[in-house]
Amino acid sequence: MTAAALEWIARFRRYMSSERRLSAHTDSSYARDLAALVKFCDRSGLSDWSALDSQHVRTFAAHSHAAGLACCAKAAMAARARARRRPLAGGRAASGSRAIPPTT
């Protein structure tokens, strides 16, 4: 992954802890899952988050299952991978098809 892609993880974690007020336990879980996703992306030759598609996420989940990861943890990791760009994508949904509704 590129330095910019790795910086995204730091921004995502700051967003989740400050804006979403996630607990330190949840933050460490996210950090662990995202580190595993980064390793998978590196092994798959993906250098940026924009290259990660749904097939990659399914493959990542399958590899996690083969490694013995619990079912609920796999689902959480897949959800985190899908949500990877939502809070920082310039107000657009990850798919880019719809604008995220403004908050008041």
Side-chain angles (χ1 to χ4, degrees):
M1 299 296 283
T2 64
L6 296 176
E7 171 57 26
W8 177 89
I9 292 174
R11 290 187 305 151
F12 177 74
R13 290 180 62 202
R14 281 193 302 271
Y15 166 82
M16 295 304 279
S17 64
S18 65
E19 299 294 323
R20 299 289 307 273
R21 297 177 173 242
L22 296 182
S23 71
H25 178 72
T26 302
D27 178 59
S28 67
S29 177
Y30 274 40
R32 182 178 52 252
D33 294 346
L34 288 168
L37 182 60
V38 166
K39 285 182 184 180
F40 170 80
C41 289
D42 287 341
R43 285 192 309 264
S44 300
L46 304 173
S47 61
D48 195 43
W49 295 115
S50 62
L52 185 69
D53 63 20
S54 60
Q55 182 59 44
H56 292 117
V57 173
R58 285 192 288 272
T59 302
F60 174 64
H63 284 266
S64 299
H65 176 72
L69 196 61
C71 196
C72 58
K74 289 186 304 201
M77 289 172 75
R80 289 175 200 139
R82 284 190 303 273
R84 71 195 182 281
R85 295 186 333 190
R86 280 188 205 135
L88 303 172
R92 309 264 331 144
S95 66
S97 60
R98 298 179 289 149
I100 296 173
T103 58
T104 57

Coordinates of all heavy atoms in Angstrom, one line a residue:
M1 N 0.8 -1.2 0.0 CA 0.0 0.0 0.0 C 0.9 1.2 0.0 O 2.0 1.2 0.6 CB -0.9 0.0 1.2 CG -1.9 -1.2 1.3 SD -3.1 -1.3 0.1 CE -4.3 -0.1 0.5
T2 N 0.4 2.3 -0.6 CA 1.1 3.5 -0.7 C 1.1 4.2 0.6 O 0.2 3.9 1.5 CB 0.6 4.5 -1.8 OG1 -0.8 4.8 -1.4 CG2 0.6 3.8 -3.2
A3 N 2.0 5.2 0.8 CA 2.0 6.0 2.1 C 0.6 6.7 2.2 O 0.1 6.8 3.4 CB 3.1 7.0 2.0
A4 N 0.0 7.2 1.1 CA -1.3 7.9 1.2 C -2.3 6.9 1.7 O -3.2 7.3 2.4 CB -1.6 8.5 -0.1
A5 N -2.3 5.7 1.2 CA -3.3 4.7 1.6 C -3.1 4.3 3.0 O -4.1 4.2 3.7 CB -3.1 3.4 0.7
L6 N -1.9 4.3 3.5 CA -1.7 4.0 4.9 C -2.1 5.1 5.8 O -2.6 4.9 6.9 CB -0.2 3.6 5.2 CG 0.2 2.3 4.5 CD1 1.7 2.0 4.7 CD2 -0.6 1.1 4.9
E7 N -1.9 6.4 5.3 CA -2.3 7.5 6.1 C -3.9 7.5 6.2 O -4.4 8.0 7.2 CB -1.9 8.8 5.4 CG -2.4 10.1 5.9 CD -2.2 10.3 7.4 OE1 -1.2 9.8 7.9 OE2 -3.0 11.0 8.0
W8 N -4.6 7.0 5.2 CA -6.0 6.9 5.3 C -6.4 6.1 6.6 O -7.4 6.5 7.3 CB -6.6 6.2 4.1 CG -8.1 6.1 4.2 CD1 -9.0 7.0 3.9 CD2 -8.8 5.0 4.8 NE1 -10.3 6.5 4.2 CE2 -10.1 5.3 4.8 CE3 -8.4 3.8 5.4 CZ2 -11.1 4.5 5.3 CZ3 -9.3 3.0 6.0 CH2 -10.7 3.3 5.9
I9 N -5.7 5.1 6.9 CA -6.0 4.3 8.1 C -5.9 5.2 9.4 O -6.8 5.1 10.2 CB -5.1 3.0 8.2 CG1 -5.4 2.1 7.1 CG2 -5.3 2.4 9.6 CD1 -4.5 0.9 7.0
A10 N -4.9 5.9 9.5 CA -4.7 6.8 10.6 C -5.9 7.8 10.7 O -6.5 8.1 11.8 CB -3.4 7.5 10.6
R11 N -6.3 8.4 9.5 CA -7.4 9.4 9.5 C -8.7 8.7 9.8 O -9.5 9.2 10.6 CB -7.5 10.0 8.1 CG -6.3 11.0 7.9 CD -6.5 11.8 6.6 NE -6.7 10.9 5.5 CZ -7.4 11.1 4.4 NH1 -8.0 12.3 4.3 NH2 -7.6 10.3 3.5
F12 N -8.9 7.5 9.3 CA -10.1 6.7 9.6 C -10.2 6.4 11.1 O -11.3 6.6 11.7 CB -10.1 5.4 8.8 CG -11.3 4.5 9.1 CD1 -12.5 4.8 8.6 CD2 -11.1 3.3 9.9 CE1 -13.6 4.0 8.8 CE2 -12.2 2.5 10.1 CZ -13.4 2.8 9.6
R13 N -9.1 6.0 11.7 CA -9.1 5.7 13.2 C -9.4 7.0 14.0 O -10.1 6.9 15.0 CB -7.8 5.0 13.6 CG -7.7 3.6 13.0 CD -6.5 2.9 13.4 NE -6.4 2.8 14.9 CZ -5.3 2.6 15.6 NH1 -4.2 2.5 14.9 NH2 -5.3 2.5 16.9
R14 N -8.8 8.1 13.6 CA -9.0 9.4 14.3 C -10.5 9.7 14.2 O -11.2 10.1 15.1 CB -8.2 10.5 13.7 CG -6.8 10.5 14.2 CD -6.0 11.8 13.9 NE -6.0 12.1 12.5 CZ -5.0 11.7 11.7 NH1 -4.0 10.9 12.1 NH2 -5.0 12.0 10.4
Y15 N -11.1 9.6 12.9 CA -12.5 9.9 12.7 C -13.3 9.0 13.6 O -14.3 9.5 14.3 CB -12.8 9.7 11.2 CG -14.3 9.6 11.0 CD1 -15.1 10.8 10.9 CD2 -15.0 8.4 10.9 CE1 -16.4 10.8 10.7 CE2 -16.4 8.4 10.7 CZ -17.1 9.6 10.6 OH -18.4 9.5 10.3
M16 N -13.1 7.7 13.6 CA -13.9 6.8 14.4 C -13.8 7.0 15.9 O -14.8 6.9 16.6 CB -13.5 5.3 14.0 CG -13.8 4.9 12.6 SD -15.5 5.2 12.1 CE -16.3 3.7 12.7
S17 N -12.7 7.4 16.4 CA -12.5 7.6 17.8 C -13.1 9.0 18.2 O -13.7 9.1 19.3 CB -11.1 7.4 18.3 OG -10.3 8.4 17.7
S18 N -12.9 10.0 17.4 CA -13.4 11.3 17.8 C -14.8 11.6 17.4 O -15.6 12.1 18.2 CB -12.5 12.4 17.2 OG -12.5 12.4 15.8
E19 N -15.2 11.3 16.2 CA -16.5 11.6 15.7 C -17.6 10.5 16.1 O -18.7 10.8 16.5 CB -16.6 11.7 14.2 CG -15.7 12.9 13.7 CD -16.2 14.2 14.1 OE1 -17.4 14.4 14.1 OE2 -15.3 15.1 14.4
R20 N -17.2 9.3 16.0 CA -18.1 8.2 16.3 C -17.9 7.7 17.8 O -18.7 6.9 18.3 CB -17.8 7.0 15.4 CG -18.0 7.3 13.9 CD -19.5 7.4 13.5 NE -20.3 6.3 13.9 CZ -20.5 5.2 13.2 NH1 -19.9 5.1 12.1 NH2 -21.3 4.3 13.7
R21 N -16.9 8.2 18.5 CA -16.6 7.9 19.9 C -16.6 6.4 20.2 O -17.1 5.9 21.1 CB -17.7 8.6 20.7 CG -17.6 10.1 20.6 CD -18.7 10.7 21.4 NE -18.6 12.2 21.5 CZ -18.3 12.9 22.5 NH1 -18.3 12.3 23.7 NH2 -18.2 14.2 22.5
L22 N -15.8 5.7 19.3 CA -15.7 4.3 19.6 C -14.7 4.1 20.7 O -13.8 4.8 21.0 CB -15.1 3.6 18.3 CG -16.1 3.6 17.1 CD1 -15.4 2.9 16.0 CD2 -17.4 3.0 17.5
S23 N -14.9 3.0 21.4 CA -14.0 2.6 22.6 C -12.6 2.3 22.1 O -12.4 1.9 21.0 CB -14.7 1.5 23.4 OG -14.5 0.3 22.6
A24 N -11.7 2.3 23.1 CA -10.3 1.9 22.8 C -10.3 0.5 22.3 O -9.5 0.1 21.5 CB -9.5 2.1 24.0
H25 N -11.1 -0.4 22.9 CA -11.2 -1.8 22.5 C -11.6 -1.9 21.0 O -11.0 -2.7 20.3 CB -12.1 -2.6 23.4 CG -12.3 -4.0 23.1 ND1 -11.3 -4.9 23.3 CD2 -13.3 -4.7 22.5 CE1 -11.7 -6.1 22.8 NE2 -12.9 -6.0 22.4
T26 N -12.6 -1.2 20.7 CA -13.1 -1.3 19.3 C -12.0 -0.7 18.3 O -11.8 -1.3 17.3 CB -14.4 -0.5 19.1 OG1 -15.4 -1.0 20.0 CG2 -14.9 -0.5 17.7
D27 N -11.4 0.4 18.7 CA -10.3 0.9 17.9 C -9.2 -0.1 17.7 O -8.7 -0.2 16.6 CB -9.7 2.2 18.6 CG -8.6 2.8 17.8 OD1 -8.8 3.1 16.6 OD2 -7.5 2.9 18.3
S28 N -8.8 -0.8 18.8 CA -7.7 -1.7 18.6 C -8.1 -2.9 17.7 O -7.3 -3.4 16.9 CB -7.2 -2.3 20.0 OG -8.2 -3.0 20.6
S29 N -9.4 -3.3 17.8 CA -9.9 -4.3 16.9 C -9.9 -3.9 15.5 O -9.5 -4.6 14.6 CB -11.4 -4.7 17.4 OG -11.9 -5.6 16.5
Y30 N -10.3 -2.6 15.2 CA -10.3 -2.1 13.9 C -8.9 -2.0 13.4 O -8.6 -2.4 12.2 CB -10.9 -0.7 13.8 CG -12.4 -0.6 13.7 CD1 -13.2 -1.5 14.3 CD2 -12.9 0.4 12.9 CE1 -14.6 -1.4 14.1 CE2 -14.3 0.5 12.7 CZ -15.1 -0.4 13.4 OH -16.5 -0.3 13.2
A31 N -7.9 -1.6 14.2 CA -6.5 -1.5 13.8 C -6.0 -2.9 13.4 O -5.3 -3.0 12.4 CB -5.7 -0.9 14.9
R32 N -6.3 -3.9 14.2 CA -5.9 -5.3 13.9 C -6.5 -5.8 12.6 O -5.8 -6.3 11.7 CB -6.3 -6.2 15.0 CG -5.8 -7.6 14.9 CD -6.2 -8.5 16.1 NE -7.6 -8.4 16.4 CZ -8.1 -7.8 17.5 NH1 -7.3 -7.2 18.4 NH2 -9.4 -7.7 17.7
D33 N -7.8 -5.5 12.4 CA -8.4 -6.0 11.1 C -7.9 -5.2 9.9 O -7.7 -5.8 8.9 CB -9.9 -5.8 11.3 CG -10.6 -6.7 12.3 OD1 -9.9 -7.6 12.8 OD2 -11.7 -6.4 12.7
L34 N -7.7 -3.9 10.0 CA -7.2 -3.2 8.9 C -5.7 -3.5 8.6 O -5.3 -3.5 7.4 CB -7.3 -1.7 9.2 CG -8.7 -1.1 9.1 CD1 -8.8 0.3 9.7 CD2 -9.3 -1.2 7.7
A35 N -4.9 -3.9 9.6 CA -3.6 -4.3 9.4 C -3.6 -5.6 8.6 O -2.8 -5.8 7.7 CB -2.8 -4.5 10.7
A36 N -4.5 -6.5 8.9 CA -4.6 -7.8 8.2 C -5.1 -7.5 6.7 O -4.6 -8.1 5.8 CB -5.6 -8.7 8.9
L37 N -6.0 -6.5 6.6 CA -6.4 -6.2 5.2 C -5.3 -5.6 4.4 O -5.1 -5.9 3.2 CB -7.6 -5.2 5.3 CG -8.2 -4.7 4.0 CD1 -8.7 -5.9 3.2 CD2 -9.3 -3.7 4.2
V38 N -4.4 -4.7 5.0 CA -3.3 -4.2 4.3 C -2.3 -5.3 3.9 O -1.8 -5.2 2.8 CB -2.6 -3.1 5.2 CG1 -1.2 -2.7 4.7 CG2 -3.4 -1.9 5.4
K39 N -2.1 -6.2 4.8 CA -1.2 -7.4 4.4 C -1.8 -8.1 3.2 O -1.0 -8.5 2.3 CB -1.0 -8.3 5.6 CG -0.1 -7.8 6.6 CD 0.1 -8.8 7.7 CE 1.0 -8.3 8.8 NZ 1.2 -9.2 9.9
F40 N -3.1 -8.3 3.2 CA -3.7 -9.0 2.1 C -3.6 -8.2 0.8 O -3.2 -8.7 -0.2 CB -5.2 -9.2 2.4 CG -6.0 -9.7 1.2 CD1 -6.0 -11.0 0.8 CD2 -6.8 -8.8 0.5 CE1 -6.7 -11.4 -0.3 CE2 -7.5 -9.2 -0.6 CZ -7.4 -10.5 -1.0
C41 N -3.8 -6.9 0.9 CA -3.6 -6.0 -0.3 C -2.2 -6.0 -0.8 O -2.0 -6.1 -2.0 CB -4.0 -4.6 0.1 SG -5.8 -4.4 0.3
D42 N -1.2 -6.0 0.1 CA 0.2 -6.1 -0.3 C 0.5 -7.4 -1.0 O 1.1 -7.4 -2.1 CB 1.1 -5.9 0.9 CG 1.2 -4.5 1.4 OD1 0.8 -3.6 0.7 OD2 1.6 -4.3 2.6
R43 N 0.0 -8.5 -0.5 CA 0.2 -9.8 -1.1 C -0.5 -9.9 -2.5 O -0.1 -10.6 -3.4 CB -0.3 -10.9 -0.2 CG 0.6 -11.2 0.9 CD 0.2 -12.5 1.6 NE -1.2 -12.6 1.9 CZ -1.7 -12.3 3.1 NH1 -0.9 -11.9 4.1 NH2 -3.0 -12.4 3.3
S44 N -1.6 -9.1 -2.6 CA -2.4 -9.2 -3.9 C -2.0 -8.1 -4.9 O -2.6 -8.0 -6.0 CB -3.9 -8.9 -3.5 OG -4.4 -9.9 -2.7
G45 N -1.0 -7.3 -4.5 CA -0.5 -6.3 -5.4 C -1.4 -5.1 -5.5 O -1.3 -4.3 -6.5
L46 N -2.2 -4.8 -4.5 CA -3.0 -3.6 -4.5 C -2.3 -2.5 -3.8 O -1.9 -2.7 -2.6 CB -4.4 -3.9 -3.8 CG -5.2 -5.1 -4.4 CD1 -6.4 -5.4 -3.5 CD2 -5.6 -4.8 -5.8
S47 N -2.1 -1.4 -4.5 CA -1.3 -0.3 -3.8 C -2.2 0.8 -3.3 O -1.7 1.7 -2.6 CB -0.4 0.2 -4.8 OG -1.0 0.8 -5.9
D48 N -3.5 0.8 -3.6 CA -4.4 1.9 -3.2 C -5.8 1.3 -2.9 O -6.2 0.3 -3.5 CB -4.4 3.0 -4.3 CG -5.0 4.3 -3.7 OD1 -4.6 4.7 -2.6 OD2 -5.8 4.9 -4.4
W49 N -6.5 2.0 -2.0 CA -7.8 1.5 -1.7 C -8.8 1.5 -2.8 O -9.7 0.7 -2.9 CB -8.4 2.4 -0.5 CG -7.7 2.3 0.7 CD1 -7.0 3.3 1.3 CD2 -7.5 1.2 1.6 NE1 -6.4 2.8 2.5 CE2 -6.7 1.5 2.7 CE3 -7.9 -0.1 1.5 CZ2 -6.3 0.6 3.7 CZ3 -7.6 -1.0 2.5 CH2 -6.8 -0.7 3.5
S50 N -8.6 2.4 -3.8 CA -9.5 2.4 -5.0 C -9.4 1.1 -5.8 O -10.3 0.8 -6.5 CB -9.2 3.6 -5.8 OG -7.9 3.5 -6.3
A51 N -8.3 0.4 -5.6 CA -8.1 -0.9 -6.4 C -8.8 -2.0 -5.7 O -9.0 -3.1 -6.3 CB -6.6 -1.2 -6.5
L52 N -9.2 -1.9 -4.4 CA -9.9 -2.9 -3.7 C -11.4 -3.0 -4.1 O -12.1 -2.0 -3.9 CB -9.8 -2.6 -2.2 CG -10.3 -3.7 -1.2 CD1 -9.5 -4.9 -1.2 CD2 -10.4 -3.1 0.2
D53 N -11.8 -4.1 -4.6 CA -13.2 -4.3 -5.0 C -13.9 -5.4 -4.2 O -13.3 -6.0 -3.3 CB -13.3 -4.5 -6.5 CG -12.6 -5.8 -7.0 OD1 -12.4 -6.7 -6.2 OD2 -12.4 -5.9 -8.2
S54 N -15.1 -5.6 -4.5 CA -15.9 -6.6 -3.7 C -15.3 -8.0 -3.8 O -15.4 -8.8 -2.9 CB -17.4 -6.6 -4.1 OG -17.5 -6.9 -5.5
Q55 N -14.8 -8.3 -5.0 CA -14.1 -9.7 -5.1 C -12.9 -9.8 -4.2 O -12.7 -10.9 -3.6 CB -13.7 -9.9 -6.6 CG -13.1 -11.3 -6.8 CD -14.1 -12.4 -6.5 OE1 -15.3 -12.3 -6.8 NE2 -13.6 -13.4 -5.8
H56 N -12.1 -8.8 -4.1 CA -11.0 -8.8 -3.2 C -11.5 -9.0 -1.7 O -10.9 -9.7 -1.0 CB -10.2 -7.5 -3.3 CG -9.5 -7.3 -4.5 ND1 -9.7 -6.3 -5.4 CD2 -8.5 -8.1 -5.1 CE1 -9.0 -6.4 -6.5 NE2 -8.2 -7.5 -6.3
V57 N -12.6 -8.3 -1.4 CA -13.1 -8.4 0.0 C -13.6 -9.8 0.2 O -13.3 -10.4 1.3 CB -14.2 -7.4 0.2 CG1 -14.9 -7.6 1.6 CG2 -13.7 -5.9 0.1
R58 N -14.3 -10.4 -0.7 CA -14.7 -11.8 -0.6 C -13.5 -12.8 -0.4 O -13.5 -13.7 0.4 CB -15.6 -12.2 -1.7 CG -17.0 -11.6 -1.7 CD -17.9 -12.3 -2.7 NE -17.6 -11.9 -4.0 CZ -18.1 -10.8 -4.6 NH1 -19.0 -10.0 -4.0 NH2 -17.9 -10.5 -5.9
T59 N -12.5 -12.5 -1.2 CA -11.3 -13.4 -1.1 C -10.6 -13.2 0.2 O -10.2 -14.2 0.8 CB -10.3 -13.0 -2.3 OG1 -11.0 -13.2 -3.5 CG2 -9.1 -13.9 -2.2
F60 N -10.5 -12.0 0.7 CA -10.0 -11.7 2.0 C -10.8 -12.4 3.1 O -10.2 -13.0 4.0 CB -10.0 -10.2 2.2 CG -9.6 -9.8 3.6 CD1 -8.3 -10.0 4.1 CD2 -10.5 -9.1 4.5 CE1 -7.9 -9.6 5.3 CE2 -10.1 -8.7 5.7 CZ -8.8 -9.0 6.2
A61 N -12.1 -12.4 3.0 CA -12.9 -13.1 4.0 C -12.7 -14.6 3.9 O -12.7 -15.3 4.9 CB -14.4 -12.8 3.7
A62 N -12.6 -15.1 2.7 CA -12.3 -16.6 2.5 C -11.0 -17.0 3.1 O -10.9 -18.0 3.8 CB -12.4 -17.0 1.1
H63 N -9.9 -16.1 2.9 CA -8.6 -16.4 3.5 C -8.7 -16.3 5.0 O -8.1 -17.1 5.7 CB -7.6 -15.4 3.0 CG -7.1 -15.7 1.6 ND1 -6.0 -16.4 1.3 CD2 -7.6 -15.3 0.4 CE1 -5.8 -16.5 0.0 NE2 -6.8 -15.8 -0.5
S64 N -9.5 -15.4 5.5 CA -9.7 -15.3 7.0 C -10.4 -16.5 7.6 O -10.0 -17.0 8.6 CB -10.5 -14.0 7.3 OG -9.8 -12.9 6.9
H65 N -11.4 -17.0 6.8 CA -12.1 -18.2 7.3 C -11.1 -19.4 7.3 O -11.1 -20.2 8.2 CB -13.2 -18.5 6.3 CG -14.0 -19.7 6.6 ND1 -14.8 -19.9 7.8 CD2 -14.0 -20.9 6.0 CE1 -15.2 -21.1 7.8 NE2 -14.8 -21.8 6.7
A66 N -10.3 -19.5 6.2 CA -9.3 -20.6 6.2 C -8.3 -20.5 7.3 O -7.8 -21.6 7.7 CB -8.6 -20.6 4.8
A67 N -8.1 -19.3 7.8 CA -7.1 -19.2 8.9 C -7.8 -19.4 10.2 O -7.1 -19.3 11.2 CB -6.5 -17.7 8.8
G68 N -9.1 -19.7 10.2 CA -9.8 -20.0 11.4 C -10.4 -18.8 12.2 O -10.7 -18.9 13.3
L69 N -10.5 -17.7 11.5 CA -11.1 -16.5 12.1 C -12.6 -16.8 12.4 O -13.3 -17.4 11.5 CB -10.9 -15.3 11.2 CG -11.1 -14.0 11.9 CD1 -10.1 -13.8 13.0 CD2 -10.9 -12.9 10.8
A70 N -13.1 -16.3 13.5 CA -14.5 -16.5 13.8 C -15.4 -15.9 12.8 O -15.1 -14.9 12.2 CB -14.8 -16.0 15.2
C71 N -16.6 -16.4 12.7 CA -17.6 -16.0 11.7 C -17.9 -14.5 11.9 O -18.0 -13.7 11.0 CB -18.8 -16.9 11.8 SG -19.9 -16.7 10.4
C72 N -18.2 -14.1 13.1 CA -18.6 -12.7 13.4 C -17.5 -11.8 13.1 O -17.7 -10.7 12.6 CB -19.1 -12.5 14.8 SG -18.0 -13.0 16.1
A73 N -16.2 -12.2 13.4 CA -15.1 -11.4 13.1 C -14.9 -11.2 11.6 O -14.5 -10.1 11.1 CB -13.8 -12.0 13.7
K74 N -15.1 -12.2 10.8 CA -15.0 -12.1 9.4 C -16.0 -11.1 8.8 O -15.7 -10.3 8.0 CB -15.2 -13.5 8.7 CG -14.1 -14.4 8.9 CD -14.4 -15.7 8.0 CE -15.7 -16.2 8.4 NZ -16.0 -17.6 8.1
A75 N -17.3 -11.2 9.4 CA -18.3 -10.2 8.9 C -17.9 -8.8 9.3 O -18.1 -7.9 8.5 CB -19.6 -10.6 9.5
A76 N -17.4 -8.6 10.4 CA -17.0 -7.3 10.9 C -15.8 -6.8 10.0 O -15.8 -5.6 9.6 CB -16.5 -7.3 12.3
M77 N -14.9 -7.6 9.6 CA -13.8 -7.2 8.8 C -14.3 -6.9 7.4 O -13.8 -5.9 6.8 CB -12.7 -8.4 8.7 CG -12.0 -8.5 10.0 SD -10.9 -10.0 10.0 CE -9.6 -9.4 9.0
A78 N -15.2 -7.6 6.9 CA -15.8 -7.3 5.6 C -16.5 -6.0 5.6 O -16.4 -5.2 4.7 CB -16.7 -8.5 5.1
A79 N -17.2 -5.7 6.6 CA -18.0 -4.5 6.7 C -17.0 -3.3 6.8 O -17.2 -2.3 6.2 CB -18.9 -4.5 8.0
R80 N -15.9 -3.5 7.6 CA -14.9 -2.4 7.7 C -14.2 -2.2 6.3 O -13.9 -1.0 6.0 CB -13.9 -2.8 8.7 CG -14.4 -2.7 10.1 CD -13.5 -3.1 11.2 NE -14.2 -3.5 12.3 CZ -14.0 -4.5 13.1 NH1 -13.0 -5.3 12.9 NH2 -14.8 -4.7 14.2
A81 N -14.0 -3.2 5.6 CA -13.4 -3.1 4.3 C -14.3 -2.3 3.3 O -13.9 -1.5 2.6 CB -13.0 -4.4 3.7
R82 N -15.6 -2.7 3.4 CA -16.6 -2.0 2.5 C -16.7 -0.5 2.9 O -16.9 0.4 2.1 CB -17.9 -2.7 2.6 CG -18.0 -3.9 1.8 CD -19.5 -4.4 1.8 NE -20.1 -4.6 3.1 CZ -20.0 -5.7 3.8 NH1 -19.3 -6.8 3.4 NH2 -20.6 -5.8 5.0
A83 N -16.6 -0.2 4.2 CA -16.8 1.1 4.7 C -15.5 2.0 4.6 O -15.5 3.1 5.1 CB -17.3 1.1 6.1
R84 N -14.5 1.4 4.0 CA -13.1 2.0 4.1 C -13.1 3.5 3.6 O -12.2 4.2 4.1 CB -12.2 1.2 3.3 CG -12.4 1.3 1.8 CD -11.7 0.2 1.0 NE -11.9 0.4 -0.4 CZ -13.0 0.1 -1.1 NH1 -14.0 -0.5 -0.4 NH2 -13.1 0.3 -2.4
R85 N -13.9 3.9 2.7 CA -13.8 5.3 2.2 C -15.0 6.2 2.6 O -14.9 7.4 2.4 CB -13.7 5.2 0.7 CG -12.5 4.6 0.2 CD -12.3 4.7 -1.3 NE -13.6 4.8 -2.0 CZ -13.7 4.8 -3.3 NH1 -12.6 4.5 -4.0 NH2 -14.8 4.9 -3.9
R86 N -16.0 5.6 3.2 CA -17.2 6.5 3.4 C -17.0 7.7 4.2 O -17.4 8.8 3.7 CB -18.3 5.6 4.1 CG -19.0 4.8 3.1 CD -20.2 4.1 3.8 NE -20.4 2.9 3.0 CZ -20.6 1.7 3.5 NH1 -20.7 1.5 4.8 NH2 -20.8 0.7 2.7
P87 N -16.4 7.7 5.4 CA -16.3 9.0 6.1 C -15.3 10.0 5.5 O -15.4 11.2 5.9 CB -15.8 8.5 7.5 CG -15.2 7.2 7.3 CD -15.8 6.6 6.1
L88 N -14.4 9.6 4.7 CA -13.4 10.5 4.2 C -13.5 10.7 2.6 O -12.6 11.2 2.0 CB -12.0 10.0 4.6 CG -11.8 9.8 6.1 CD1 -10.5 9.1 6.3 CD2 -11.9 11.1 6.8
A89 N -14.6 10.3 2.0 CA -14.7 10.3 0.6 C -15.3 11.5 0.0 O -15.9 11.5 -1.0 CB -15.5 9.0 0.1
G90 N -15.1 12.6 0.7 CA -15.6 13.9 0.2 C -17.1 14.0 0.1 O -17.6 14.6 -0.8
G91 N -17.8 13.4 1.1 CA -19.2 13.5 1.1 C -19.9 12.5 0.1 O -21.1 12.6 -0.1
R92 N -19.2 11.6 -0.5 CA -19.8 10.7 -1.4 C -19.8 9.3 -0.8 O -18.9 8.9 0.0 CB -19.1 10.6 -2.7 CG -18.9 11.9 -3.4 CD -19.8 12.4 -4.4 NE -20.5 11.6 -5.2 CZ -21.8 11.8 -5.6 NH1 -22.4 12.9 -5.2 NH2 -22.4 11.0 -6.5
A93 N -20.8 8.5 -1.1 CA -20.8 7.1 -0.6 C -19.6 6.3 -1.3 O -19.1 6.8 -2.3 CB -22.1 6.4 -1.0
A94 N -19.3 5.2 -0.7 CA -18.1 4.5 -1.2 C -18.3 4.1 -2.7 O -17.3 4.1 -3.4 CB -17.9 3.2 -0.4
S95 N -19.5 3.8 -3.1 CA -19.7 3.5 -4.5 C -19.7 4.7 -5.4 O -19.5 4.6 -6.6 CB -21.1 2.8 -4.7 OG -22.1 3.8 -4.4
G96 N -19.8 5.9 -4.8 CA -19.7 7.1 -5.6 C -21.1 7.5 -6.3 O -21.2 8.4 -7.0
S97 N -22.1 6.6 -6.1 CA -23.3 6.8 -6.8 C -24.3 7.8 -6.1 O -25.1 8.4 -6.7 CB -24.0 5.5 -7.0 OG -24.3 4.9 -5.7
R98 N -24.2 7.9 -4.8 CA -25.1 8.7 -4.0 C -24.3 9.6 -3.1 O -23.3 9.2 -2.5 CB -26.1 7.9 -3.2 CG -27.0 7.0 -4.1 CD -27.9 6.2 -3.2 NE -27.1 5.2 -2.4 CZ -27.4 4.8 -1.2 NH1 -28.4 5.2 -0.6 NH2 -26.6 3.9 -0.7
A99 N -24.8 10.8 -2.8 CA -24.2 11.7 -1.8 C -24.7 11.2 -0.5 O -25.8 10.7 -0.3 CB -24.6 13.1 -2.1
I100 N -23.8 11.3 0.5 CA -24.1 11.0 1.9 C -25.0 12.1 2.4 O -24.6 13.3 2.2 CB -22.9 10.8 2.7 CG1 -22.1 9.6 2.2 CG2 -23.2 10.6 4.2 CD1 -20.8 9.4 2.9
P101 N -26.1 11.9 3.1 CA -27.0 12.9 3.6 C -26.2 13.8 4.6 O -25.4 13.3 5.4 CB -28.1 12.2 4.3 CG -28.0 10.8 3.9 CD -26.6 10.6 3.4
P102 N -26.4 15.1 4.6 CA -25.7 16.0 5.5 C -26.2 15.7 6.9 O -27.4 15.4 7.1 CB -26.0 17.4 5.0 CG -27.3 17.3 4.2 CD -27.3 15.9 3.7
T103 N -25.4 16.0 7.9 CA -25.8 15.8 9.3 C -26.1 17.2 9.8 O -25.5 18.2 9.4 CB -24.7 15.1 10.1 OG1 -23.5 15.9 10.0 CG2 -24.5 13.7 9.7
T104 N -26.9 17.3 10.8 CA -27.3 18.6 11.4 C -26.8 18.7 12.8 O -26.3 17.8 13.4 CB -28.8 18.8 11.4 OG1 -29.4 17.7 12.2 CG2 -29.4 18.8 10.1

